C-alpha cells in the first residue's frame, strides 16, 4: 500500500496564483461604471477590450476541480489556484441602481473575481475570500457577499443557481478559515495573504489616480488605494511568469508581457530602482522550476525515458505517470490529450502539484498504484459505481482511504480515452492507433501532380484511369486493379489540404484536389457525384485528427491545416484545422472547442501582409482577429483565393452581398456614410443624377468588392454616389420590400387611420428577411437626416418619396402609393422602427453638430456642400473630450486647433504651443501637424486606428531654441535603424536595429553603413517623408527616443523605417531639423493668430442646442425639448 499522506489542509498555498493572459490591443480595465464610489470614473478610460464577441480563444469551464496546492518545493513557484465555480451573474451597483450589469464571475479558494466577459484575462474587481464575513440571500435569485465595509449584490438566473453559488462561497470561506488557523499570515490585516516583497503607490498610464501596487510572490497585484489593500478588495493580478521589466527613464519603467505593456511611474529614481528589483525578483520566482525535474530524477528509474531510455528526460505524461524525453513527448502529443497529457518538467510549472511529483517518484515502487495503472490500461472506468453509497466512485474511495497518490492519478485520468488497438496490426504502430481505420478502393481518373495552382481547365484527355486504394493511412494508385506495385502513393500524414472545386471545373464533372507537405497538388476526377463524395469523405477521415472531426459533419469546399495566431496567444504560431463552406470559415484549435465560424462576407478587414516569401492573411470580424500564415506557398495560395472569393459578393440579392455587423450591405453603408458626411447640404441630393459612366464604374467596383472601396471627396461626386445607390436598389432582383410582400406594403398605405397604418407597417417590417429589414431601417434613418436639411438641399419628405418610391418598389412612377409608403416611413420613423433612446441620442448628436457647423459656416460665408465631418479630441481620446468638426478644404491645422480651443473656452497663455496631432494607435506613434498643413487630405488618409487630437506640444520650445542656436541647416550623426519587415508582431523574419550614419540636408535624407562610407545605401527625398514620434514597442527599440519615417512612392506604396536616438535631446534635434527643411525654415508662426472666434450661440430659435459641455439643467432642458419635437431644431434655420 502507498504511504498515507498528511492532510491536505496542512499544505497552505503561499499566495494566489492565477494565470493572466491578455490579447493584443487589450488594456487593463478600470472599475464598473457605477459599480463603486464616486471616483470610480477615474478608471473607466482604460477598456478591457479585445476579442469579446465570438472571440477565437478558449472558453473557460464553468466548474473546475478543487485545488491541490504544492508545498515543500525549494525555489518553485506556487501553482494556479483552481477555479471552484464560474459563470454569469448579474451584479448590482452599490448606489442602489435597479439596472443590473452582467458579469462573468469566478470563485477559487482565495478570491472571488468578476469580469466584463468570460474572454477577459483581467478582472474588474477581486474580493479576498478571507475578507468575506458572510453570504446572505435577499429576495428572488439574489444574494449578498458581505465584507467588513462593503456589500456586493449579485443575482443568479434561478434559485437553484443562487443556492449553488452560496454553497460554494460558504465552503470556500470555511476552507479559507481552516487554512488561516494553521498559518500566521495576518501581518498586513488581510487574513490569508502573503507578506509582499514590496508595496506602495505608483502611477499607471491610463489611470487618473495613483494605484496601490503590491509585489507578492510571482504576482503584481493592483488596488485602488491602501485602504482597499488592507480590506482585500483589489482590481486585478499581473502574472510575472510572462512578464519582463525594463527601465524607461528617470522615474518610469515598463512591465512588459507578450500581450501588453504596463507603464508605471514612481515618485523618485530611488523608488523606481526598488520597484525594478522587486518585480525582477517576481519574474525570477515565476520562472524557477528546475527543482521539479531534480526531485523527479531523484528516483533512479525516472532518470531515463520510459519509452526509449534516453537519459535525463525533461517531459512527462501526468496521467500515465511516466517520464519521457522530448522526442517521445511529440509522439505522445500526437495521441491526443485524451490518451496522454504531456507536460514539461521545466516549463509547465503550474501543473506540478506535490502529490503529482510523489506519484511520478513512486510510480515504479508502489504496488497498489501500479495495479491501478494496469486496470486503467485494461479499460477500467474511472467513474464506475463502487457499490458504496458514501463513496460511489474509485476517486471517492481513494479519498476515504487517504490515498492521495491514487487520488492524483485518478484525477488526471478522468478524461483519458482507452487506446483502440487493432489486434491484427503489429504493435510498432501504437502511436497512431487512435486514428480511425479508413479503407476504400476504386477507379479514379488522375492527372500528373503539379507544383503550382491549376489556373486552366484540365481536359478529359489529360486524366489517366488508375486503381486507387486507401488503407492504413496511405492512398496508393496502381496502373490497374491487378497490379502489385503502385505507381505512387500519398501518405495521409503528409496531406495538408483537401479541396473540392465546383462541378465541371475540369474535364470530369466532379473533381477534388489533394495538397501535400512536399508542395505537390494531385487532381482526381469522377463522373459520379456519389462516388466522388465518398472518396472525399474517406480521405478527409484518414488525415483529419479526432480533435477536428466535427469539421467533417458538413460538406466543405476546402479542408486542411494551417499555421495561425489568434486569441490570447500571439507570441508563437500554432497549427489549426480549417474548413471552408460557402462564406463560412470554421476553425478548430488544438487547445479548445470548435470556434464560432467566421462569416467571411461580414469581415471588417481582409488583407494580405508581408512579402511574397512570408505572407500573412489577416481576417478581422467583430473585433476578433485571425492571422493565417503562408508556411507552405502552394496550399496557402489556394486558401487565399478561396477565402477571397467566399468573402466577395455572391450574387445580386441583398443577402448575398458583403454585410456589416448590423446585416446592412457594405455597398449601402459606404454610399450612405459618404453622403451623410459630404452631401447632406448638397442641393437636389438624390434628385440630381450623376454622370452615367462614372456611376456605372463606381457601381461595378462596389458590387465586386465593396469592402475595399473607400469613397473620398474630390474623387467621387455626391451625385455619382447617390445615383449608384439608387441604381443598386432598383436593380435588386427581388426588390428591397420583396416581390411577395410588395403589394401588402402598397395596400397598407391606403389605410386612413394613422395608428392602424403604422401598426400594419410594423407587422410587415417583421416579415421581411433580416437583411432587408436592416437595410430598410438604415435607409429610412438616412433619409430622415436628409430631410432635416430640406431648407438647404430642397429635399423634403415629399420630394424624397417621389424619388425613392419608384426606386424601392421598382415601379414606373405612375403609382402614387409607392411614394406614400416611403413618406409614411420617414414621417413615422421613430415609431415604425422602434428607435430607442440611445439610437435617438446618437442621431440627435450628429444632427446637432451638423446644424451648428452649418449655421457657423453660413454666418462666415464659407459654407458649401461637401465639407467633411470628423471627430477631434482635446488632449486625450475620451468620449467627453470629442468634438464633431466640419472640415472645409481650406482649413489648416492651426485653424482647427483654434476652433477646438474656442469651443471648449480654453485660454492660450504665453509659451503654450497648442498643436493638432495625428495619432496612429496601431503604430504607437504620433505626428504634430505643421500649422499651415491642410487638414482635409490628412483625414482622407486616416485609417480606422488613427485619430486627431489637439494638445500641447511639450518639446516645441526646446526645438525652437535649438534651431535658433545652430549654425548649419544640415544634421548628421549615428542612429539605430530598422526597416519595416515584421508583420503585426507575428514573429516573422525581420532583423533588429543596426547602427547607421545619417545625413539630412534641405533636399534628402541619406543613409550610410558607416561614417567612412562614400556612397549612401539609401536616399529619400525629404519633402515626401512623414515623420512620426514614437516606435511601436513590439519591435523592441533599443531606446525610448525613436521616430517612425514613412515614405509614400509614386505608386502610392508606403515604406516605413524606424530610427532611434541615444538621448531625448538628440531626438528633438533631429525632429526639429526635419520640420525646418520640410517647411523652408518656418516651424512655428512668427505671429500666430490668437484671436478667438465667437463661440457659437447655444440657442437656435426658441430651443437650446444640446451643449457639448454645460450645466446639468441645460442638458436636461435641451434633451427634453428635442425629444418632444426633434425637428424643432431645424424649422427656423
Amino acid at each position: 500500500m502507498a504511504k498515507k499522506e498528511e492532510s491536505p489542509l496542512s499544505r497552505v498555498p503561499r499566495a494566489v496564483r492565477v494565470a493572466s493572459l491578455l490579447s493584443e490591443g487589450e488594456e487593463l480595465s478600470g472599475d464598473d461604471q457605477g459599480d463603486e464610489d464616486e471616483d470610480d470614473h477615474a478608471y473607466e478610460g482604460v477598456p478591457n477590450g479585445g476579442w469579446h464577441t465570438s472571440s477565437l480563444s478558449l472558453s473557460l469551464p464553468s466548474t473546475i476541480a478543487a485545488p491541490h496546492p504544492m508545498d515543500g518545493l525549494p525555489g518553485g513557484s506556487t501553482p494556479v489556484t483552481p477555479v471552484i465555480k464560474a459563470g454569469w451573474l448579474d451584479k448590482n451597483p452599490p448606489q442602489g441602481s435597479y439596472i443590473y450589469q452582467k458579469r462573468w464571475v469566478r470563485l477559487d479558494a482565495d478570491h472571488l473575481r468578476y469580469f466584463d466577459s468570460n474572454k477577459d484575462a483581467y478582472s474588474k474587481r477581486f474580493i479576498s475570500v478571507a475578507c468575506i464575513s458572510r453570504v446572505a440571500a435577499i429576495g428572488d435569485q439574489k444574494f449578498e457577499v458581505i465584507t467588513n465595509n462593503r456589500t456586493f449584490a449579485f443575482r443568479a438566473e434561478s434559485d437553484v443557481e443562487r443556492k449553488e453559488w452560496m454553497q460554494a462561497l460558504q465552503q470556500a470561506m470555511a476552507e479559507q478559515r481552516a487554512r488561516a488557523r494553521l498559518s500566521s499570515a495576518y501581518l498586513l490585516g488581510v487574513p490569508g495573504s502573503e507578506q509582499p516583497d514590496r508595496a506602495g503607490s505608483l502611477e499607471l498610464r491610463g489611470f487618473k489616480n495613483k494605484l496601490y501596487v503590491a509585489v507578492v510572490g510571482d504576482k503584481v497585484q493592483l488596488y485602488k488605494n491602501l485602504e482597499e489593500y488592507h480590506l482585500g478588495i483589489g482590481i486585478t493580478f499581473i502574472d510575472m511568469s510572462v512578464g519582463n521589466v525594463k527601465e524607461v527613464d528617470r522615474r518610469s519603467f515598463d512591465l512588459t508581457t507578450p500581450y501588453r505593456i504596463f507603464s508605471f511611474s514612481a515618485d523618485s529614481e530611488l523608488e523606481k530602482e526598488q520597484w525594478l528589483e522587486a518585480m525582477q525578483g517576481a519574474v525570477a520566482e515565476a520562472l524557477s522550476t528546475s527543482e521539479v525535474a531534480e526531485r523527479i530524477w531523484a528516483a533512479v528509474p525516472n532518470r531515463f525515458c520510459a519509452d526509449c531510455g534516453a537519459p535525463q528526460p525533461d517531459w512527462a505524461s501526468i496521467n500515465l505517470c511516466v517520464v519521457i524525453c522530448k522526442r517521445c513527448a511529440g509522439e505522445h502529443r500526437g495521441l491526443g490529450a485524451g490518451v496522454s497529457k504531456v507536460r514539461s518538467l521545466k516549463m509547465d510549472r503550474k501543473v506540478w502539484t506535490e502529490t503529482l511529483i510523489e506519484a511520478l517518484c513512486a510510480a515504479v515502487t508502489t504496488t497498489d498504484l501500479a495495479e491501478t495503472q494496469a486496470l486503467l490500461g485494461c479499460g477500467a472506468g474511472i467513474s464506475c459505481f463502487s457499490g458504496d453509497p458514501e463513496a460511489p466512485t474509485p476517486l471517492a474511495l481513494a479519498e476515504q482511504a487517504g490515498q492521495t497518490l491514487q487520488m492524483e492519478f485518478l484525477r488526471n485520468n478522468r478524461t483519458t480515452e482507452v487506446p483502440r488497438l487493432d489486434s491484427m496490426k503489429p504493435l510498432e504502430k501504437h502511436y497512431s492507433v487512435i486514428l480511425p481505420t479508413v479503407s476504400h478502393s476504386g477507379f479514379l481518373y488522375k492527372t500528373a501532380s503539379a507544383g503550382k495552382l491549376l489556373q486552366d481547365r484540365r481536359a478529359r484527355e489529360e486524366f489517366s484511369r488508375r486503381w486507387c486504394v486507401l488503407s492504413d493511412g496511405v492512398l496508393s494508385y496502381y496502373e490497374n486493379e491487378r497490379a502489385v506495385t503502385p505507381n505512387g502513393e500519398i501518405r495521409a500524414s503528409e496531406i495538408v489540404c483537401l479541396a473540392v472545386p465546383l462541378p465541371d471545373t475540369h474535364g470530369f464533372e466532379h473533381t477534388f484536389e489533394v495538397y501535400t507537405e512536399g508542395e505537390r497538388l494531385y487532381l482526381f476526377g469522377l463522373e459520379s457525384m456519389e462516388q466522388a463524395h465518398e472518396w472525399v469523405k474517406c480521405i478527409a477521415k484518414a488525415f483529419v485528427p479526432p480533435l477536428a472531426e466535427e469539421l467533417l459533419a458538413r460538406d466543405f469546399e476546402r479542408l486542411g491545416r494551417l499555421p495561425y495566431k489568434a486569441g490570447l496567444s500571439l507570441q508563437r504560431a500554432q497549427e489549426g484545422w480549417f474548413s471552408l463552406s460557402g462564406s463560412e470559415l470554421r476553425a478548430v484549435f488544438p487547445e479548445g472547442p470548435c470556434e464560432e465560424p467566421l462569416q467571411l462576407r461580414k469581415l471588417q478587414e481582409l488583407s494580405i501582409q508581408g512579402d511574397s516569401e512570408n505572407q500573412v492573411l489577416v481576417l478581422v470580424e467583430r473585433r476578433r482577429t485571425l492571422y493565417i500564415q503562408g508556411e507552405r506557398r502552394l496550399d496557402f495560395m489556394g486558401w487565399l483565393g478561396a477565402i477571397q472569393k467566399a468573402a466577395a459578393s455572391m450574387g445580386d440579392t441583398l443577402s448575398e452581398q458583403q454585410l456589416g455587423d448590423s446585416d446592412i450591405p457594405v455597398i449601402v453603408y459606404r454610399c450612405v456614410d459618404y453622403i451623410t458626411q459630404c452631401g447632406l447640404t448638397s442641393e437636389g441630393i438624390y434628385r440630381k443624377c450623376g454622370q452615367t459612366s462614372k456611376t456605372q464604374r463606381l457601381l461595378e467596383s462596389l458590387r465586386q468588392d465593396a469592402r475595399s472601396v473607400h469613397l473620398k471627396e474630390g474623387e467621387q461626386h455626391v451625385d455619382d454616389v447617390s445615383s449608384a445607390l439608387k441604381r443598386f436598389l432598383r436593380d435588386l432582383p427581388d426588390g428591397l420590400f420583396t416581390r411577395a410582400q410588395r403589394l401588402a406594403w402598397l395596400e397598407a398605405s391606403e389605410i386612413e387611420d394613422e395608428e392602424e397604418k403604422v401598426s400594419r407597417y410594423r407587422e410587415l417590417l417583421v416579415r421581411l428577411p433580416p437583411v432587408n429589414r436592416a437595410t430598410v431601417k438604415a435607409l429610412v434613418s438616412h433619409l430622415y437626416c436628409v430631410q432635416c436639411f430640406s431648407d438647404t438641399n430642397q429635399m423634403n419628405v415629399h420630394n424624397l418619396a417621389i424619388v425613392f418610391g419608384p426606386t424601392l418598389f421598382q415601379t414606373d412612377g405612375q403609382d402614387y402609393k409607392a411614394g406614400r409608403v416611403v413618406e409614411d416611413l420617414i414621417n413615422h420613423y421613430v415609431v415604425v422602427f422602434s428607435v430607442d433612446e440611445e439610437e435617438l441620442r446618437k442621431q440627435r448628436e450628429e444632427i446637432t453638430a451638423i446644424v451648428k457647423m452649418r449655421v457657423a459656416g453660413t454666418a462666415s460665408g464659407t459654407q458649401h456642400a461637401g465639407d467633411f465631418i470628423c471627430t477631434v479630441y482635446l488632449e486625450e481620446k475620451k468620449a467627453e473630450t470629442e468634438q464633431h468638426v466640419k472640415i472645409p478644404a481650406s482649413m489648416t491645422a492651426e485653424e482647427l486647433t483654434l476652433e477646438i480651443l474656442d469651443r471648449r473656452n480654453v485660454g492660450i497663455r504665453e509659451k503654450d504651443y497648442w498643436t493638432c496631432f495625428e495619432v496612429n494607435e496601431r503604430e504607437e506613434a504620433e505626428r504634430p501637424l505643421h500649422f499651415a498643413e491642410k487638414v482635409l487630405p490628412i483625414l482622407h488618409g486616416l485609417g480606422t486606428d488613427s485619430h486627431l487630437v489637439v494638445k500641447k506640444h511639450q518639446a516645441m520650445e526646446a526645438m525652437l531654441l535649438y534651431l535658433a542656436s545652430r549654425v548649419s541647416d544640415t544634421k548628421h550623426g549615428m542612429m539605430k535603424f530598422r526597416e519595416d519587415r515584421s508583420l503585426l508582431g507575428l514573429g516573422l523574419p525581420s532583423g533588429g536595429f543596426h547602427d547607421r550614419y545619417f545625413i539630412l540636408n534641405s533636399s534628402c535624407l541619406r543613409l550610410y553603413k558607416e561614417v567612412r562610407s562614400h556612397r549612401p545605401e539609401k536616399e529619400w527625398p525629404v519633402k515626401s517623408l512623414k515623420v512620426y514620434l514614437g516606435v511601436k514597442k513590439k519591435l523592441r527599440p533599443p531606446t525610448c527616443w525613436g521616430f517612425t519615417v514613412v515614405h509614400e512612392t509614386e505608386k502610392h506604396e508606403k515604406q516605413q523605417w524606424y530610427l532611434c536616438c541615444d538621448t531625448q535631446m538628440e531626438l528633438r534635434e533631429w525632429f526639429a531639423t526635419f520640420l525646418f527643411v520640410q517647411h523652408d525654415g518656418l516651424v512655428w508662426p512668427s505671429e500666430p493668430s490668437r484671436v478667438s472666434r465667437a463661440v457659437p450661440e447655444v440657442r437656435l430659435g426658441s430651443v437650446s442646442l444640446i451643449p457639448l459641455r454645460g450645466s446639468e439643467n441645460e442638458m436636461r432642458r435641451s434633451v427634453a425639448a428635442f425629444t418632444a419635437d426633434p425637428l424643432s431644431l431645424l424649422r427656423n434655420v
Side-chain angles (χ1 to χ4, degrees):
M1 297 291 290
K3 64 178 181 179
K4 190 169 182 176
E5 299 294 329
E6 59 180 347
S7 171
L9 290 177
S10 65
R11 297 189 297 275
V12 182
R14 296 177 55 218
V16 181
R17 297 292 183 264
V18 181
S20 297
L21 293 178
L22 190 62
S23 68
E24 187 70 34
E26 281 189 293
E27 294 186 32
L28 182 63
S29 175
D31 226 335
D32 287 354
Q33 185 176 358
D35 265 15
E36 313 302 338
D37 50 23
E38 290 182 356
D39 46 343
D40 274 358
H41 67 273
Y43 302 91
E44 295 170 5
V46 186
N48 201 348
W51 286 37
H52 289 183
T53 307
S54 305
S55 173
L56 289 172
S57 60
L58 305 184
S59 300
L60 293 173
S62 58
T63 51
I64 304 178
H68 299 277
M70 177 180 69
D71 67 349
L73 182 59
S77 58
T78 310
V80 172
T81 303
V83 176
I84 298 173
K85 186 170 179 61
W88 290 103
L89 290 175
D90 295 329
K91 183 182 178 299
N92 190 22
Q95 289 87 349
S97 170
Y98 291 101
I99 301 176
Y100 279 77
Q101 299 162 327
K102 205 168 190 64
R103 298 286 181 256
W104 178 259
V105 184
R106 292 185 207 164
L107 172 67
D108 58 43
D110 296 285
H111 291 92
L112 176 68
R113 297 181 291 160
Y114 59 87
F115 305 75
D116 271 333
S117 165
N118 60 344
K119 306 298 183 184
D120 288 351
Y122 290 132
S123 60
K124 293 185 72 64
R125 293 295 251 169
F126 68 81
I127 309 161
S128 173
V129 173
C131 297
I132 301 176
S133 58
R134 62 190 178 92
V135 182
I138 51 166
D140 296 337
Q141 294 99 39
K142 302 175 187 176
F143 64 97
E144 290 181 338
V145 177
I146 303 170
T147 66
N148 292 333
N149 75 324
R150 286 287 305 278
T151 298
F152 298 85
F154 296 94
R155 181 175 65 189
E157 291 186 359
S158 64
D159 288 330
V160 174
E161 186 180 3
R162 178 183 66 176
K163 183 178 179 181
E164 292 176 354
W165 274 102
M166 293 181 63
Q167 289 177 346
L169 281 163
Q170 290 164 353
Q171 181 182 355
M173 292 164 57
E175 293 176 354
Q176 175 69 31
R177 287 165 184 162
R179 292 198 302 270
R181 284 194 294 269
L182 300 176
S183 67
S184 58
Y186 285 86
L187 301 176
L188 295 175
V190 184
S193 68
E194 183 180 357
Q195 180 77 20
D197 299 316
R198 181 167 181 80
S201 297
L202 284 174
E203 294 178 7
L204 176 59
R205 184 183 299 169
F207 283 75
K208 293 181 179 179
N209 302 324
K210 285 186 176 181
L211 299 184
Y212 193 84
V213 183
V215 181
V216 183
D218 63 347
K219 294 286 186 296
V220 174
Q221 303 174 353
L222 305 183
Y223 299 81
K224 286 177 61 177
N225 48 50
L226 177 61
E227 179 185 2
E228 292 202 352
Y229 169 69
H230 286 303
L231 294 172
I233 302 174
I235 299 174
T236 194
F237 309 121
I238 303 173
D239 188 356
M240 299 301 283
S241 64
V242 292
N244 182 37
V245 189
K246 186 177 72 171
E247 181 179 4
V248 175
D249 57 26
R250 192 171 59 87
R251 294 189 303 110
S252 303
F253 61 97
D254 286 348
L255 170 53
T256 306
T257 72
Y259 320 106
R260 73 158 275 119
I261 297 174
F262 302 86
S263 298
F264 293 98
S265 295
D267 290 334
S268 66
E269 190 170 358
L270 177 60
E271 281 192 19
K272 180 201 69 177
E273 296 296 334
Q274 293 170 345
W275 278 107
L276 284 172
E277 182 179 355
M279 290 191 181
Q280 287 166 352
V283 174
E285 178 176 345
L287 300 178
S288 59
T289 57
S290 59
E291 298 294 334
V292 173
E294 296 292 339
R295 293 188 60 192
I296 290 177
W297 290 341
V300 176
N302 286 337
R303 297 174 187 173
F304 302 94
C305 174
D307 285 0
C308 69
Q312 292 187 322
D314 53 1
W315 291 78
S317 172
I318 62 172
N319 62 316
L320 301 180
C321 287
V322 293
V323 185
I324 52 180
C325 65
K326 183 178 181 180
R327 184 182 66 83
C328 294
E331 298 287 353
H332 276 250
R333 193 177 290 109
L335 295 172
V339 175
S340 182
K341 300 176 183 177
V342 180
R343 298 293 185 272
S344 170
L345 301 183
K346 296 181 178 179
M347 292 181 289
D348 295 325
R349 63 182 182 85
K350 298 169 188 173
V351 75
W352 295 108
T353 61
E354 181 69 20
T355 47
L356 181 55
I357 293 175
E358 292 185 10
L360 277 169
C361 294
V364 295
T365 58
T366 306
T367 305
D368 60 340
L369 186 59
E371 184 177 355
T372 302
Q373 289 177 295
L375 290 172
L376 179 64
C378 293
I382 294 294
S383 302
C384 63
F385 182 66
S386 65
D388 185 355
E390 296 184 0
T393 64
L395 179 60
L397 285 173
E399 184 176 9
Q400 189 179 67
Q403 294 289 347
T404 56
L405 297 183
Q406 296 276 10
M407 290 167 59
E408 186 72 24
F409 180 75
L410 292 172
R411 282 193 193 96
N412 284 301
N413 281 279
R414 276 177 173 173
T415 58
T416 300
E417 303 170 358
V418 180
R420 293 173 288 182
L421 291 173
D422 189 346
S423 58
M424 302 302 292
K425 302 295 178 184
L427 292 181
E428 59 266 24
K429 291 189 177 181
H430 63 281
Y431 283 125
S432 59
V433 294
I434 64 166
L435 291 177
T437 301
V438 181
S439 298
H440 195 63
S441 60
F443 281 104
L444 284 174
Y445 293 86
K446 175 187 173 297
T447 65
S449 65
K452 60 182 181 180
L453 295 178
L454 304 178
Q455 304 291 347
D456 301 325
R457 175 184 175 89
R458 292 299 175 97
R460 192 182 184 94
E461 294 75 20
E462 298 182 64
F463 288 80
S464 302
R465 190 168 183 258
R466 294 287 182 265
W467 176 258
C468 298
V469 176
L470 176 62
S471 180
D472 293 335
V474 179
L475 174 62
S476 305
Y477 46 93
Y478 300 80
E479 189 69 29
N480 52 58
E481 67 271 30
R482 296 181 298 277
V484 177
T485 304
N487 291 0
E489 61 182 24
I490 306 171
R491 295 190 174 274
S493 59
E494 297 177 353
I495 298 176
V496 296
C497 181
L498 179 62
V500 183
L502 293 173
D504 202 31
T505 300
H506 298 286
F508 280 85
E509 180 73 15
H510 302 283
T511 55
F512 60 89
E513 300 171 350
V514 176
Y515 297 77
T516 66
E517 288 182 341
E519 300 278 354
R520 304 301 298 177
L521 186 158
Y522 298 84
L523 177 64
F524 297 90
L526 278 171
E527 286 294 348
S528 169
M529 181 180 68
E530 291 76 12
Q531 292 181 17
H533 184 270
E534 186 65 23
W535 270 106
V536 170
K537 180 179 177 181
C538 291
I539 294 174
K541 284 184 177 180
F543 84 98
V544 173
L547 70 91
E549 280 181 345
E550 52 195 298
L551 296 179
L552 306 180
R554 62 185 66 205
D555 292 338
F556 54 85
E557 284 91 51
R558 189 168 288 265
L559 173 73
R561 51 187 167 97
L562 288 165
Y564 76 96
K565 291 184 180 183
L568 302 178
S569 302
L570 293 176
Q571 68 273 26
R572 64 183 182 86
Q574 303 181 70
E575 193 167 66
W577 290 86
F578 297 87
S579 169
L580 178 63
S581 178
S583 61
E584 288 187 350
L585 181 66
R586 295 181 176 270
V588 173
F589 299 148
E591 299 176 357
C594 184
E595 296 288 343
E596 286 295 320
L598 270 80
Q599 302 296 333
L600 296 178
R601 283 191 286 110
K602 290 188 178 183
L603 290 179
Q604 296 175 357
E605 177 186 343
L606 190 158
S607 60
I608 305 168
Q609 309 280 345
D611 53 31
S612 58
E613 298 299 324
N614 299 291
Q615 287 190 324
V616 177
L617 178 61
V618 182
L619 307 176
V620 182
E621 182 207 24
R622 293 183 181 179
R623 291 176 293 176
R624 58 172 175 168
T625 305
L626 179 67
Y627 306 99
I628 299 178
Q629 298 186 12
E631 182 178 303
R632 298 170 298 269
R633 181 170 177 78
L634 182 61
D635 68 298
F636 176 77
M637 295 306 295
W639 277 104
L640 177 59
I643 290 175
Q644 288 177 329
K645 182 178 179 181
S649 297
M650 304 293 289
D652 295 329
T653 64
L654 276 178
S655 60
E656 293 175 323
Q657 305 300 311
Q658 294 176 343
L659 302 176
D661 287 341
S662 304
D663 282 341
I664 302 171
V666 177
I667 184 173
V668 175
Y669 172 80
R670 285 278 192 267
C671 296
V672 166
D673 184 61
Y674 179 80
I675 294 172
T676 300
Q677 293 287 347
C678 304
L680 282 182
T681 57
S682 176
E683 183 176 348
I685 185 67
Y686 287 117
R687 178 173 56 81
K688 291 182 180 180
C689 295
Q691 294 184 21
T692 305
S693 58
K694 291 183 178 180
T695 299
Q696 189 62 34
R697 285 198 299 270
L698 175 60
L699 186 57
E700 287 177 0
S701 61
L702 287 168
R703 280 176 170 161
Q704 184 175 1
D705 187 6
R707 189 186 299 109
S708 64
V709 176
H710 300 283
L711 304 175
K712 295 183 180 180
E713 189 178 14
E715 296 182 8
Q716 288 89 16
H717 193 273
V718 289
D719 292 333
D720 297 332
V721 178
S722 65
S723 296
L725 176 60
K726 290 187 296 181
R727 177 74 63 82
F728 170 75
L729 295 172
R730 175 175 277 277
D731 292 346
L732 290 173
D734 197 34
L736 184 60
F737 292 95
T738 72
R739 288 183 181 143
Q741 300 185 40
R742 186 181 305 164
L743 184 60
W745 281 91
L746 296 176
E747 291 174 349
S749 67
E750 295 183 309
I751 300 176
E752 294 183 0
D753 184 75
E754 287 296 316
E755 291 187 5
E756 183 182 351
K757 180 163 58 173
V758 169
S759 176
R760 179 58 174 163
Y761 283 146
R762 288 167 61 91
E763 291 176 8
L764 294 173
L765 188 67
V766 174
R767 296 180 187 177
L768 288 177
V771 177
N772 296 59
R773 185 165 59 248
T775 306
V776 170
K777 180 178 179 180
L779 182 62
V780 174
S781 174
H782 169 63
L783 298 180
Y784 177 80
C785 291
V786 172
Q787 59 87 28
C788 289
F789 296 89
S790 58
D791 289 348
T792 302
N793 58 35
Q794 306 301 318
M795 295 301 292
N796 55 27
V797 176
H798 181 69
N799 290 340
L800 288 172
I802 292 174
V803 173
F804 276 93
T807 298
L808 301 183
F809 285 92
Q810 300 175 334
T811 65
D812 56 4
Q814 300 299 319
D815 192 349
Y816 69 93
K817 290 181 289 187
R820 180 178 291 180
V821 173
V822 175
E823 191 168 349
D824 289 338
L825 291 179
I826 297 175
N827 286 329
H828 301 288
Y829 160 67
V830 174
V831 179
V832 173
F833 296 97
S834 303
V835 180
D836 58 28
E837 185 61 32
E838 179 65 17
E839 287 183 82
L840 199 59
R841 182 189 67 81
K842 291 181 179 179
Q843 196 162 1
R844 182 188 306 126
E845 289 179 354
E846 181 180 3
I847 293 175
T848 302
I850 294 172
V851 169
K852 290 175 69 175
M853 288 180 289
R854 184 164 65 86
V855 171
T858 302
S860 62
T862 59
Q863 176 73 20
H864 61 87
D867 289 349
F868 196 88
I869 300 168
C870 76
T871 301
V872 183
Y873 300 89
L874 181 62
E875 292 190 298
E876 57 183 333
K877 185 180 181 182
K878 286 186 176 180
E880 57 267 27
T881 66
E882 67 180 20
Q883 290 282 321
H884 301 287
V885 186
K886 194 167 191 176
I887 310 295
S890 60
M891 178 175 278
T892 63
E894 182 186 24
E895 292 172 343
L896 175 60
T897 301
L898 291 176
E899 181 166 343
I900 296 297
L901 297 179
D902 285 343
R903 286 190 178 194
R904 290 303 181 96
N905 295 320
V906 177
I908 302 176
R909 296 174 296 183
E910 186 178 1
K911 294 187 178 180
D912 273 356
Y913 297 95
W914 287 95
T915 308
C916 183
F917 284 74
E918 175 192 349
V919 180
N920 189 319
E921 296 173 332
R922 179 180 178 182
E923 294 293 330
E924 302 174 24
E926 60 184 15
R927 182 175 73 91
L929 305 185
H930 187 259
F931 68 91
E933 196 169 353
K934 293 290 191 289
V935 180
L936 192 59
I938 297 168
L939 290 174
H940 286 159
L942 286 183
T944 56
D945 49 6
S946 299
H947 62 273
L948 297 182
V949 60
V950 172
K951 61 182 179 178
K952 293 180 182 178
H953 196 319
Q954 304 293 348
M956 181 56 71
E957 184 177 5
M959 291 164 55
L960 293 175
L961 289 174
Y962 163 73
L963 293 174
S965 62
R966 69 183 193 145
V967 296
S968 173
D969 293 341
T970 63
K971 172 76 176 169
H972 57 86
M974 299 293 296
M975 284 190 288
K976 306 287 186 182
F977 170 79
R978 173 172 175 161
E979 291 189 65
D980 184 19
R981 293 180 182 172
S982 66
L983 300 175
L984 304 172
L986 300 179
L988 301 177
S990 60
F993 285 82
H994 304 282
D995 288 317
R996 291 293 184 267
Y997 186 76
F998 288 87
I999 296 179
L1000 173 63
N1001 57 34
S1002 59
S1003 62
C1004 61
L1005 173 67
R1006 294 191 178 98
L1007 177 149
Y1008 298 82
K1009 189 171 183 180
E1010 54 187 3
V1011 179
R1012 294 171 295 181
S1013 300
H1014 297 289
R1015 297 183 60 183
E1017 287 186 341
K1018 296 181 182 294
E1019 181 174 336
W1020 306 283
V1022 71
K1023 295 284 187 180
S1024 65
L1025 299 180
K1026 283 188 177 181
V1027 184
Y1028 293 78
L1029 294 169
V1031 176
K1032 54 186 176 185
K1033 294 182 179 179
K1034 282 188 286 187
L1035 297 179
R1036 302 183 182 276
T1039 72
C1040 58
W1041 300 291
F1043 52 90
T1044 302
V1045 180
V1046 178
H1047 172 57
E1048 186 169 353
T1049 65
E1050 295 179 357
K1051 297 181 180 180
H1052 301 289
E1053 297 175 350
K1054 287 189 177 181
Q1055 300 172 348
Q1056 204 157 290
W1057 304 276
Y1058 305 98
L1059 308 175
C1060 285
C1061 304
D1062 291 331
T1063 65
Q1064 186 181 44
M1065 180 55 70
E1066 187 178 352
L1067 170 66
R1068 290 176 176 176
E1069 292 174 0
W1070 276 103
F1071 194 80
T1073 308
F1074 269 108
L1075 291 178
F1076 185 90
V1077 299
Q1078 285 184 325
H1079 301 285
D1080 300 322
L1082 193 56
V1083 175
W1084 190 257
S1086 56
E1087 295 181 3
S1089 172
R1090 289 294 179 262
V1091 180
S1092 295
R1093 303 170 186 176
V1095 179
E1097 175 61 45
V1098 296
R1099 298 184 67 85
L1100 186 61
S1102 60
V1103 182
S1104 298
L1105 295 178
I1106 300 174
L1108 293 176
R1109 174 179 289 178
S1111 68
E1112 185 178 357
N1113 289 333
E1114 282 183 311
M1115 180 67 75
R1116 287 178 177 173
R1117 285 196 299 269
S1118 302
V1119 172
F1122 193 95
T1123 303
D1125 188 2
L1127 295 182
S1128 61
L1129 280 172
L1130 309 173
R1131 292 198 179 112
N1132 297 323
V1133 177

